Amino acid sequence: TNVWIGYEPFYLAREINALDQDKVRLVEYTSSLPVLNAFRNGLLDVAALTLDESLVMTTQIPDLTVVAVLDISNGADALLARPNIHSISELKNKAVAVENLATGGYLLMRALQHSGIALTDVTIQTEAADRHERILDKGNVAAVVTYDPHKSQLLAAGMRSLFDSSQIPGEIVDVLVVRSQLLREKPTQLQHLLKAWFIAQGHLQRNRHDALIKMQARQRLNAEQLNLSLTQLRFPSQQENIALLTDPEKLSATTRLLQQHMFHNGLLPNNKAPLLKLDAAWIIGR
């Protein structure tokens, strides 16, 4: 995973001893690009990715399978600007940083659409999320598309939120992907990982205070910031996951919007729409 707060239940599972480290080893990177590279190069068996990242991966790894919908962003991804910028329209002819042209570029496009501004009216820079505060401070960019924990840290530093994922509900989704080979070779470990994820979800709901304490050090946010961030995410339950993964239409509208954006920006080949394989059997239990 990267440090996105939506993946935190994996680490919480480890903290509450729901995750056996002899079966599953968690690996965390500072941003999404090294996660993609490590998964592509076979250094990872499983990866937590955004839906659009998964679409890109299917063009490179045809036997990719989505085995869980981890979270749906409802405000935790945002377009943040320097304090002197009060509206999206003020971003015209200015530079905006995104971590990648997929998720970040997509949210920026949707934000600009809401204000009637073309994507070509801004200059897009790709910068890792952990560099966003630095380039905003230096004045290299007017705004950034970011996510928690970076979002909360930037807001605390005085940056202004212009748009967030709550304004495009259901469109920013994170999933867990594996190669088909893993399904054959390590089924016990995969089932254990998913079981631990849902145990941690339950702990987060029933023992909120304890969960927030355990998550603070890793996310570098205080309990109040963490709690607010978590309210801007939705973690689908096991039953919701089964519905999302067994009914192709549940994710299809979001997938089509992402594909259109990615085709238009050259992030996917135009000749073929990638097909995401969805498999709920690992949540149901084989």
Side-chain angles (χ1 to χ4, degrees):
T1 75
N2 62 17
V3 294
W4 163 240
I5 196 169
Y7 304 146
E8 194 63 27
F10 285 126
Y11 298 90
L12 179 60
R14 187 175 65 185
E15 287 287 318
I16 62 174
N17 297 317
L19 191 69
D20 184 343
Q21 294 181 70
D22 290 330
K23 291 182 178 177
V24 178
R25 181 166 64 92
L26 299 177
V27 181
E28 186 180 44
Y29 295 89
T30 56
S31 63
S32 61
L33 186 59
V35 179
L36 293 166
N37 289 337
F39 187 70
R40 187 185 297 112
N41 294 329
L43 301 176
L44 301 172
D45 291 316
V46 183
L49 304 176
T50 55
L51 191 57
D52 51 85
E53 289 167 346
S54 302
L55 289 169
V56 172
M57 280 287 101
T58 59
T59 67
Q60 301 161 9
I61 305 172
D63 66 339
L64 200 69
T65 300
V66 174
V67 294
V69 177
L70 299 176
D71 63 74
I72 299 169
S73 180
N74 190 35
D77 295 83
L79 172 64
L80 304 186
R82 293 170 58 80
N84 61 321
I85 293 175
H86 297 81
S87 68
I88 294 173
S89 60
E90 292 177 52
L91 295 179
K92 286 188 75 169
N93 304 315
K94 292 184 172 64
V96 179
V98 301
E99 183 170 65
N100 59 57
L101 293 172
T103 314
Y106 178 77
L107 189 135
L108 177 59
M109 176 197 72
R110 298 289 278 125
L112 295 174
Q113 281 178 345
H114 274 235
S115 293
I117 298 171
L119 200 57
T120 52
D121 287 335
V122 301
T123 301
I124 300 176
Q125 291 183 202
T126 53
E127 296 279 357
D130 57 349
R131 283 181 42 81
H132 285 181
E133 185 169 9
R134 191 180 318 158
I135 60 176
L136 279 167
D137 285 342
K138 287 184 176 180
N140 295 347
V141 297
V144 299
V145 175
T146 190
Y147 52 85
D148 272 318
H150 310 293
K151 180 177 81 92
S152 294
Q153 293 161 354
L154 288 170
L155 288 172
M159 301 306 160
R160 188 186 301 277
S161 179
L162 300 181
F163 186 89
D164 65 48
S165 53
S166 68
Q167 292 163 267
I168 48 170
E171 294 186 26
I172 307 290
V173 179
D174 288 283
V175 295
L176 194 69
V177 299
V178 303
R179 285 180 172 82
S180 298
Q181 183 180 352
L182 178 96
L183 302 179
R184 296 189 297 270
E185 295 178 353
K186 300 181 181 179
T188 304
Q189 291 94 321
L190 178 59
Q191 283 185 317
H192 177 70
L193 176 64
L194 289 168
K195 182 180 179 182
W197 170 267
F198 289 112
I199 289 172
Q201 263 196 42
H203 187 83
L204 185 57
Q205 292 167 3
R206 293 188 298 271
N207 302 283
R208 191 75 161 195
H209 180 68
D210 178 71
L212 292 175
I213 290 171
K214 286 179 166 62
M215 292 161 68
Q216 277 182 267
R218 280 182 28 78
Q219 287 291 313
R220 298 182 182 178
L221 298 174
N222 62 40
E224 187 178 344
Q225 288 173 316
L226 266 174
N227 197 46
L228 176 61
S229 296
L230 289 166
T231 64
Q232 296 171 345
L233 278 174
R234 187 163 70 80
F235 295 107
S237 66
Q238 286 175 280
Q239 289 305 311
E240 286 178 286
N241 255 277
I242 292 166
L244 286 165
L245 295 175
T246 54
D247 182 352
E249 285 304 306
K250 293 286 185 182
L251 286 176
S252 63
T254 296
T255 302
R256 281 194 295 269
L257 280 170
L258 284 170
Q259 285 176 335
Q260 288 167 10
H261 164 73
M262 295 169 80
F263 288 145
H264 182 72
N265 289 282
L267 301 173
L268 287 173
N270 279 306
N271 58 342
K272 187 179 179 183
L275 179 66
L276 269 180
K277 299 175 192 170
L278 309 177
D279 188 352
W282 300 93
I283 290 175
I284 298 168
R286 287 184 178 268

